[in-house]
Amino acid sequence: MRHGKKFNHLGRTASHRRALLSNLAISLITHKRINTTVAKAKALQTYIEPLLTKSKTDDTNNRRVVFSYLQNKEAVTELFRTVAPKIANRPGGYTRIIKTGFRLGDSADMAMIELVDFNEIYTNAKVEKKATTRRGRKKATETVEETPATPEATEEA
């Protein structure tokens, strides 16, 4: 029985699971978005979020700790150089899991896991509010008078 065992063993031995999660984490850091099964995505989320938190402070000890999990110099460099500055002011929740349907071969639940701050669709799409008038007052943009740009005015200047 699995009383009190909280993480998903993914049907693998401990060393195989550690290698799998390390490889998934390296792929996620380098590509910023990967497609995998829902179970692996959830296991990867709990595996990589502490590493992303450690990458927020760039010192030798944190680099060594992260390297002990990933065993890949390029991924550690990418994490500390490009990913960490983007997530520096985020208090957590660095990854997002989006379910994408079922795999054709075995009908497994598939999901896309991505780094939240690297999705341009969500981060750059800032909705601008429409300026409203209240109690009959005009908007501030309408009260500013525009100076006509005539060719004589530009030549004199």
Side-chain angles (χ1 to χ4, degrees), residues 80-99:
F80 279 90
R81 283 204 184 138
T82 61
V83 177
K86 278 202 166 189
I87 64 171
N89 57 358
R90 181 176 286 275
Y94 311 110
T95 57
R96 174 186 299 128
I97 296 175
I98 301 171
K99 294 183 181 178

Side-chain angles (χ1 to χ4, degrees), residues 12-123:
R12 290 162 170 83
T13 61
S15 59
H16 188 186
R17 186 171 52 250
R18 197 175 307 120
L20 170 78
L21 291 174
S22 175
N23 288 332
L24 285 173
I26 291 167
S27 297
L28 181 63
I29 290 168
T30 55
H31 299 295
K32 312 299 187 270
R33 172 183 304 159
I34 58 172
N35 291 314
T36 184
T37 62
V38 173
K40 287 180 190 173
K42 288 180 180 179
L44 176 63
Q45 190 172 29
T46 60
Y47 182 83
I48 201 166
E49 297 238 348
L51 299 180
L52 293 171
T53 303
K54 285 187 191 326
S55 73
K56 290 164 84 170
T57 56
D58 188 7
D59 59 353
T60 307
N61 186 48
N62 283 342
R63 279 184 180 263
R64 286 178 178 168
V65 169
V66 170
F67 183 76
S68 72
Y69 281 90
L70 298 180
Q71 298 292 319
N72 189 328
K73 286 183 189 177
E74 291 82 17
V76 172
T77 305
E78 176 83 12
L79 176 64
F80 279 90
R81 283 204 184 138
T82 61
V83 177
K86 278 202 166 189
I87 64 171
N89 57 358
R90 181 176 286 275
Y94 311 110
T95 57
R96 174 186 299 128
I97 296 175
I98 301 171
K99 294 183 181 178
T100 57
F102 300 99
R103 189 161 50 196
L104 288 178
D106 59 353
S107 188
D109 282 337
M110 296 300 288
M112 178 181 65
I113 182 169
E114 64 182 1
L115 295 174
V116 171
D117 291 321
F118 286 89
N119 189 338
E120 292 83 18
I121 295 170
Y122 292 121
T123 56

